[in-house]
Each structure stands twice: as C-alpha cells, then as structure tokens.
Amino acid sequence: MVHAPIHKTVVPASKPNLSDYDATVAGFSWQEAERQLDGLPGGAGLNIAHEAVDRHVLHGRGHKTAIRWLGKSGERREFSYLDLARATNQFAHALEHLGVRPGERVFILMGRLPELYVALLGALKARCVVTPLFSAFGPEPIATRAEMGDARVLVTTPELYQRKVQDLRERLPGLRHVIVAGAVPSDEGGVHPWGALVSPASTTYTIAPTDPESMALLHFTSGTTGRPKGAVHVHAAVLAHMVTGRYALDLHDDDVFWCTADPGWVTGTSYGIIAPLVCGVTNVVVEAEFDAQTWYGVLERERVSIWYTAPTAIRMMMKLGAEALKGVDLSALRFMASVGEPLNPEAVVWGLEAFGLPFHDNWWQTETGGIMVSNYLAMDIRPGSMGKPLPGIVAAVVRRTGSGHVEAITAPDVDGELALRAPWPSMMRGYLHEDERYRKCFVDGWYLTGDLVRRDAEGYYWFVGRADDVIKSSGHLIGPFEVESALMEHPAVAEAGVIGIPDPMAGEVVKAFVALKPGHEASEALRRELLGHARKRLGAAVAPKQIDFRDNLPKTRSGKIMRRLLKARELGLPEGDLSTLESDEKK
Ligand code: AMP
C-alpha cells in the first residue's frame, strides 16, 4: 500500500539543525564542518576520544551528564563528561602499564555495561584500535574475529570469559591480556581484574599526537563468501559522526538521546557512543534487552527527546498496539529515527498514531562508518523511503557495465546499485588483510554498496534489496558462509547451504539446508542436535532457526552451493538462469 507523504508543516520546538535540505547541500563543505571540532591541543592531530569527551571538559561542560546508565536490575548511574574523561584516562594508563602499544588491537566483549564505554574511549586515547564484539556471539565468531584482527587485549566480564573465551586461549596466542570487569575467575596469567589494574591509575592523561588517518576502529561485517571482513575506520571518521549527529539525528546540546543498538554492531558504536558524545548530549544507555514496557518507561522517565531504534523493535511494538502507550508521558520526545533494515511504510505511519511522531528511516552500513541517506526533521517523509543523501555525500544509482565500469542511471524509478562518491571522512580505509576485496568495492571513483535501490523523481531513495546473499535478521548482518562452516563441523553433515527467509518480525530468519554423510539418517532428533550444535558454536544471534534435510544441494559445476536457487525453491520464486547448475541437479 502506498502511503501519502508526511508533510512537515509543524514548526518544531527547537530550530532544526538542517532546516532547508537543498540550501544545506549546496552550501556544505567538510572543511567548513571540521571547524566545529577542536583537534588535539597544539595541532597534534585528531582523536575521537578527545572530541567525544575531553573537548567538553576543556570548554566548561565537564559537569554535564555524558552517560546515564540504566542497569538490568534497576540501577542507575550518571557519568558527567568530567567523570568520563577521568575514567578513560585511567583506562589509557592501564593499557600503557601493560605495555600495550598504539595500533595494537583491544577487543571488547561485554553487554552494555559502563566499563564498555570507558574501555572503548580509553583505548582510543591510548591510540589503540578497538573492536567491539557482540556479547551474544558464540565462541566461533569470537575466535575468528580475534584471530583475524590479532587481538592483543580483551575486555570482558568474568562470566563471558569463563563461558566463551577461556577455552579459546590456546587458539589465540597473540591475546596477551584479558581485563575483566569484576572478580578474576582464576589465577591464570594475563587475566587482570579491572579494580586492581584500572581503578588505581592516574585520572590525568595527555593524548599523544594522533594522525587523523590512523586506524581507530575495526568493525567486522559479513560477506557472502569467506570469513568476515574487517572494515578499518580511522580517527578522521569523527567528523562524519558529528555532522550526521547534527543533521540526520538533529542532536542539540540539551537533548537526551537514546540509541537502542548494541555497540557490538556498528550502529551501537557510531551512534550509541561516538556521535552523541561528540555532539555533547546526554546519552542514555539501557543494559536490558527489548521489552516494550521497559522501553516505554525509559522514554517517559528519562525524558528522552531523540530516539534512534530499529525496525524489528518497532514491529514488535506495533504488534502490541498503540494502546500499550496509553498514559505514557512522551512530552519530551521530539524526533524518532530508525536504521538497519527496511522500515515498512506502515511502521512510519504507526509512529504518528502511537507516539505522535513518524519514524525517520535512514540508511548506512559498516563500511560507510556513518549515516549516508536520511529523512531529516524538516523534510517531508515519503513512508517507505530511506530519504535523501547527507549533505557532503554524493549518491547515485548505478549499473555495472560488462567492461568493469559503472554507469549512472539518471532516469527516476529504475533499480540499480547504490553508489557513493569516494571518499568521505568515515569511509572505511580498507578491509583488514584483504586489499583486493577492498579494491573491488570501488569502480570509477564510486564506492559500490551492494544494495539495490531506486531513486524517485524528487530525489528520495527507496531500498529494493541486497545484491548478495548476506542475511539481515533482527537488524544483524549474518554471513551464510560462517553458518555453513559451523554446520559442516558436525560429523553428520556433508554439505550445508544457508539462506534468509522472510519473517514478519525479524525481517529475515536464518534457514539451513543440510545434506548428510553416508551412514546418517535424517530425523527430528538429528535436526535438534544440529540446531543445538550451531547455537553453541555461533551463539543465538547467528545460528539458524530452521534446518531442513536434503539428499543433495544444488551446486554450480565448480561445486559452489547455489543459495539463490535454494531460496527460489523455498519461496516458490522463479528459478532464474540455471546454466551453471550441475546437470544432475536440474530436476
Ligand atoms: P551493517 O553493515 O550490519 O550495518 O548492515 C548494513 C546493511 O543493512 C545495508 O547494506 C542494508 O542492506 C541494510 N540496511 C541498513 N539500513 C537500512 C535501511 N534503512 N533500509 C534498508 N536496509 C538497510
């Protein structure tokens, strides 16, 4: 169903940071925007943690609440910008005390605890490279990423260490130090309790000169084939975090902001930590997982004014109905945004009915480092559209020509691949150890996103689908290869093919097709065993929800499993070009 545009005729209480889209685009320059950042004192470069934390203290805003942490059991802790500056200084000292060098990798595996925020920003101060990992990952995704990224330090909790990491230590000889937020689980070498290591350190620290182009964050993301990709981001990305925070999320100094994403995924880092702090707002962090009543309580009690969430959660709230919001005081809420997966037009409109505000969809991905296409506060919304490119970003819809080039599609309403003119400050600077894979993302000066879109006559972009086989489930990007590999480790499995199938809540869920080795019989018991095996290896967020047995899987003549065909057959869609299919499968 096509929904009517939502016209922004009401003048918002605070003046939007972007009040005229076309004029802002025309007048925008990244150099000009950079003046809103400080840079390190004495012209010593640019460091994300300085811009996010210390800058506010230097400018007399140290007393302001930076992070308001709401624990699972009802605890509540406030950290001012000064508190955060001191705590992150201590963490930077702690790393130096351990002999950790700039450029070395600090991995963080924990739920949304205050230590996560301190460790991430403190490690950036020490010019280490930070990789946040999703705490619901199983041991396999943790080990793969820590191996690939050469993790030197891991910051985690005693419980996660014991449950997921301890058995991996032999596989990770480069992992020299584990810092645990809590009591040390054993007297193992290299395991340091936070209290003994970090708490006694000095609260003053001077960030050493930082090259804006030096690596700051390493975010793993999934591709169709092979291992995950380590997208390299640099300190200079902070400029895009600031600009998107101001324009796409309309952050003003007095806002109370809540991003529901976990820092184990890129949104939770760029917008759950960096952008709000750089913009100097109060950043609400909620440790608990989704629960509508808890969330509504947070919006009301904390007087959240800007809320950044995701379609799966919005769909779950829609299911409960607008009645669940009756009596909830939402008077502070003035802007709601969504990201990560397609946002149904019904959900945009439902926002108006239930919250009195529409959800503003925006688009970006791990590789872009920040929001690239967005619905802005002062711009009319076309429900179902991702909006228009950020000022400073040139986007296009392109098609790949046979000759290794791309051509821009200028006619409206034609499907093609979303391309962004390179570079921009938060663009990834590489895939770790994979130069060729990185190089292939760029053609004729465009970064090719792998997403299919169309642009309408008014310049709004509409998401059409992914050009590859990766799966988006509850907003989490899942690589089929990683799931197939885990299934193949099971002694009964000969082949595995993994696809995403549509799901009304999660967008997609992971489904696996498995062919068994001779001597193994398909049965309900084996299905359950395989589901359990995958869950144990991969963690609940990544493991398949469904497994079907097949005698054999459709493959190309070169032996590659044709996921596209598995999907077409599963969903009753046209099977498409079968010319590369192995001949005995064409039935
Ligand atoms: P990730 O790198 O995990 O953040 O995933 C990025 C991918 O999520 C994009 O390439 C899209 O396929 C999808 N995505 C992100 N935002 C949107 C959106 N607003 N609408 C549709 N798909 C989206």
Side-chain angles (χ1 to χ4, degrees), residues 272-349:
I273 306 178
I274 301 172
L277 296 180
V278 171
C279 291
V281 305
T282 292
N283 191 31
V284 172
V285 173
V286 177
E287 187 194 7
E289 293 309 322
F290 173 80
D291 166 73
Q293 285 318 318
T294 311
W295 278 27
Y296 297 157
V298 171
L299 291 173
E300 177 176 72
R301 268 195 319 278
E302 306 309 327
R303 301 204 50 78
V304 171
S305 55
I306 311 251
W307 189 32
Y308 195 22
T309 187
T312 296
I314 298 171
R315 288 190 289 264
M316 294 203 271
M317 291 184 275
M318 278 174 83
K319 198 168 160 208
L320 291 175
E323 306 77 60
L325 277 151
K326 277 231 172 75
V328 180
D329 176 4
L330 297 169
S331 55
L333 194 61
R334 63 176 191 87
F335 186 74
M336 309 196 298
S338 162
V339 74
E341 23 162 353
L343 181 65
N344 328 41
E346 296 74 27
V348 176
V349 177

Side-chain angles (χ1 to χ4, degrees), residues 280-581:
V281 305
T282 292
N283 191 31
V284 172
V285 173
V286 177
E287 187 194 7
E289 293 309 322
F290 173 80
D291 166 73
Q293 285 318 318
T294 311
W295 278 27
Y296 297 157
V298 171
L299 291 173
E300 177 176 72
R301 268 195 319 278
E302 306 309 327
R303 301 204 50 78
V304 171
S305 55
I306 311 251
W307 189 32
Y308 195 22
T309 187
T312 296
I314 298 171
R315 288 190 289 264
M316 294 203 271
M317 291 184 275
M318 278 174 83
K319 198 168 160 208
L320 291 175
E323 306 77 60
L325 277 151
K326 277 231 172 75
V328 180
D329 176 4
L330 297 169
S331 55
L333 194 61
R334 63 176 191 87
F335 186 74
M336 309 196 298
S338 162
V339 74
E341 23 162 353
L343 181 65
N344 328 41
E346 296 74 27
V348 176
V349 177
W350 181 76
L352 268 177
E353 180 197 331
F355 294 88
L357 301 166
F359 284 101
H360 294 73
D361 190 16
N362 60 50
W363 178 97
W364 62 291
Q365 55 182 195
T366 303
E367 287 85 344
T368 70
I371 298 167
M372 296 282 112
V373 178
S374 186
N375 284 287
Y376 308 91
L377 172 61
M379 193 175 83
D380 290 350
I381 293 181
R382 303 190 153 200
S385 157
M386 315 188 298
K388 295 189 181 186
L390 183 82
I393 296 296
V394 177
V397 184
V398 303
R399 74 166 69 86
R400 298 182 192 231
T401 61
S403 55
H405 292 279
V406 292
E407 62 188 17
I409 300 171
T410 48
D413 303 322
V414 178
D415 292 4
E417 188 167 349
L418 176 60
L420 305 169
R421 174 62 69 193
W424 61 93
S426 62
M427 184 183 86
M428 66 163 170
R429 301 297 200 270
Y431 283 134
L432 193 71
H433 310 316
E434 292 190 280
D435 293 344
E436 184 58 16
R437 210 172 182 183
Y438 179 69
R439 214 183 39 75
K440 279 193 179 148
C441 297
F442 298 87
V443 179
D444 298 338
W446 293 102
Y447 164 69
L448 301 179
T449 64
D451 277 3
L452 302 176
V453 298
R454 73 174 74 103
R455 186 187 51 234
D456 67 21
E458 273 70 40
Y460 284 80
Y461 282 73
W462 299 72
F463 183 78
V464 173
R466 296 272 318 185
D468 59 16
D469 289 338
V470 294
I471 301 160
K472 257 277 154 129
S473 186
S474 300
H476 303 149
L477 202 68
I478 297 170
F481 180 81
E482 206 166 10
V483 182
E484 289 160 3
S485 305
L487 285 167
M488 300 277 289
E489 280 173 19
H490 190 280
V493 175
E495 295 174 340
V498 166
I499 61 167
I501 56 168
D503 179 84
M505 274 307 142
E508 286 186 298
V509 292
V510 180
K511 173 156 190 170
F513 297 86
V514 160
L516 297 175
K517 287 187 183 150
H520 294 273
E521 285 289 316
S523 67
E524 197 41 45
L526 183 56
R527 187 201 313 277
R528 276 203 300 273
E529 186 179 320
L530 291 177
L531 285 168
H533 162 86
R535 215 181 143 91
K536 197 161 157 242
R537 304 292 302 146
L538 298 166
V542 182
K545 298 278 181 293
Q546 299 176 26
I547 295 183
D548 272 8
F549 294 107
R550 292 280 184 274
D551 291 338
N552 49 35
L553 301 179
K555 286 186 283 301
T556 61
R557 283 190 214 105
S558 57
K560 254 173 70 182
I561 290 173
M562 292 179 80
R563 302 187 189 109
R564 176 181 60 78
L565 189 54
L566 276 173
K567 189 159 181 164
R569 288 179 178 168
E570 174 71 12
L571 303 179
L573 301 171
E575 296 196 352
D577 178 10
L578 297 184
S579 57
T580 60
L581 185 63

Side-chain angles (χ1 to χ4, degrees), residues 127-178:
R127 297 177 302 156
C128 292
V129 175
V130 183
T131 298
L133 291 178
F134 191 39
S135 58
F137 276 160
E140 199 48 49
I142 295 170
T144 308
R145 287 158 179 76
E147 267 171 353
M148 283 180 70
D150 192 16
R152 188 71 65 246
V153 178
L154 176 75
V155 187
T156 188
T157 62
E159 189 260 332
L160 285 171
Y161 179 70
Q162 266 166 338
R163 203 151 55 83
K164 302 190 181 183
V165 182
Q166 205 160 22
D167 292 346
L168 300 174
R169 288 297 295 274
E170 267 184 24
R171 210 174 133 182
L172 303 171
L175 180 63
R176 292 212 197 103
H177 304 284
V178 179

